[in-house]
Amino acid sequence: SDFLRKDIVSIIVSGNKVIGRNTVEGVRVRAKELDNGVEIWLDIEDDVVIENPIHLCTGYLKPEGTQEVLIHNRLGSRARAKFISHCVFPSGVNFTHSMVADTDVGENAEMFYEDTHMHSKDGGVTVRATYNTVVRKGGRFQNMFYLTKTRVGKLFVKMNVNLEKNSTAHIESKVYEREDDYLEIDEELHLNGEGSSGIAKTTVFATDRSKAKIINKAYGNAPYSRGHIECNEIIKGDSVEVGTMPELYVKNEKAELTHEASIGRVNVKQMETLMSKGLSEEEATDMIV
């Protein structure tokens, strides 16, 4: 397992215990147990390039309870790192997971963060995930959130990115809802530095009796800043309720913001093409999402 390799930075959390941890030269990792969770600090020094992905795994195996996870990530100037995070709650019947990740991407640093969730089949998991990120001058940041393989339950995601001069960000969420799942996503791009740019994109596949509310916001606060927000909601079923709200705010006449939003049924031709190649309907749907 990659989690056990000594040349890989990894943190494994179960409940309020850190049950596994490893680091490498140039990366400092600290952790503190809380009453119902953990707090983690991960600091990458200037000019350090992490060749292997940093692995984070958060789990909770009991059917009931609460878990709080606080994460503080800091990438020094010109540092580069890729994070792969898995949140696994397979037994949740009445379980709430709250996560706040505060991230500081240093000048000319690069960070990729992929967060994949796996929830229980009962729909009894509630997740509140907040990502607060600052991207310093010339930095690059990408954050991907996925929940497509299992029930959602109740999911509330908030992504807030502040961009300094000539920095870039791409934040994206993909969620597949089933039965009576409920989803709220709020993504914000604050283009504060001259020449900064960002993309916020959400894709939701809502079926059965599920509900979704998506808000994407972009703030053009600096000259020559560019932002684009996009939301695509695909629906299947007569009892689905979804809504999307793009919001653009410009405070500088040289800023440029655009948006794109769509709500519609699944592309039947695309589904048929994928299924003709041997995929099941669910597998084809996963590929479309």
Side-chain angles (χ1 to χ4, degrees):
S1 171
D2 283 346
F3 289 108
L4 303 178
R5 286 172 50 181
K6 295 302 181 182
D7 60 338
I8 284 183
V9 180
S10 61
I11 302 171
I12 306 173
V13 175
S14 180
N16 71 330
K17 304 290 185 182
V18 177
I19 61 174
R21 176 171 50 179
N22 187 63
T23 190
V24 299
E25 185 177 355
V27 181
R28 295 191 299 273
V29 177
R30 292 192 298 121
K32 180 176 71 173
E33 294 180 1
L34 307 175
D35 290 341
N36 294 309
V38 297
E39 187 166 10
I40 297 167
W41 292 263
L42 194 150
D43 194 320
I44 301 176
E45 297 176 1
D46 293 351
D47 299 302
V48 171
V49 177
I50 307 300
E51 298 294 343
N52 296 311
I54 296 171
H55 287 267
L56 308 175
C57 182
T58 303
Y60 196 94
L61 301 180
K62 298 178 182 179
E64 297 185 355
T66 61
Q67 183 185 50
E68 179 184 16
V69 177
L70 306 176
I71 303 174
H72 310 276
N73 298 313
R74 192 193 76 85
L75 271 71
S77 298
R78 299 169 300 280
R80 294 208 309 268
K82 177 180 180 179
F83 291 69
I84 297 179
S85 172
H86 290 89
C87 294
V88 183
F89 316 120
S91 306
V93 176
N94 183 20
F95 168 69
T96 298
H97 168 84
S98 298
M99 188 281 298
V100 178
D102 293 326
T103 298
D104 191 318
V105 181
E107 290 191 5
N108 298 305
E110 297 182 16
M111 177 176 175
F112 176 89
Y113 194 99
E114 179 181 294
D115 192 2
T116 301
H117 277 235
M118 304 287 284
H119 297 179
S120 72
K121 64 181 180 180
D122 299 298
V125 173
T126 297
V127 168
R128 300 181 182 275
T130 301
Y131 305 83
N132 299 313
T133 304
V134 176
V135 187
R136 305 294 178 184
K137 179 180 177 181
R140 300 171 63 87
F141 174 70
Q142 187 171 0
N143 190 354
M144 311 293 288
F145 179 94
Y146 299 111
L147 205 176
T148 60
K149 302 297 184 182
T150 64
R151 286 283 307 274
V152 172
K154 294 181 176 62
L155 175 63
F156 304 85
V157 176
K158 183 171 179 60
M159 296 188 183
N160 185 15
V161 182
N162 285 273
L163 294 129
E164 296 187 355
K165 184 176 181 179
N166 294 328
S167 63
T168 66
H170 181 120
I171 58 176
E172 185 168 351
S173 301
K174 293 186 177 183
V175 180
Y176 183 176
E177 292 188 287
R178 303 164 177 85
E179 299 185 37
D180 61 348
D181 289 340
Y182 182 81
L183 168 67
E184 288 187 13
I185 294 179
D186 187 341
E187 297 177 333
E188 295 188 10
L189 294 172
H190 296 264
L191 303 161
N192 300 324
E194 181 177 344
S196 59
S197 62
I199 296 174
K201 183 177 180 180
T202 302
T203 302
V204 176
F205 188 77
T207 68
D208 302 322
R209 306 175 307 283
S210 60
K211 298 180 181 180
K213 178 182 179 182
I214 313 300
I215 301 175
N216 304 102
K217 303 175 184 177
Y219 297 82
N221 299 328
Y224 308 109
S225 59
R226 302 183 311 280
H228 177 72
I229 57 177
E230 180 178 342
C231 180
N232 300 301
E233 293 182 273
I234 305 167
I235 60 175
K236 183 179 180 182
D238 295 332
S239 299
V240 173
E241 294 183 25
V242 299
T244 180
M245 185 181 302
E247 299 182 16
L248 306 179
Y249 301 92
V250 173
K251 291 185 178 180
N252 188 285
E253 65 178 359
K254 295 180 180 178
E256 181 180 337
L257 303 179
T258 59
H259 74 82
E260 181 179 348
S262 66
I263 298 177
R265 63 189 179 92
V266 66
N267 188 316
V268 176
K269 184 176 181 180
Q270 190 176 7
M271 284 281 289
E272 290 175 346
T273 299
L274 291 171
M275 292 175 68
S276 70
K277 296 180 180 180
L279 297 180
S280 67
E281 182 176 353
E282 185 169 350
E283 290 170 335
T285 300
D286 286 342
M287 290 195 67
I288 293 172
V289 176

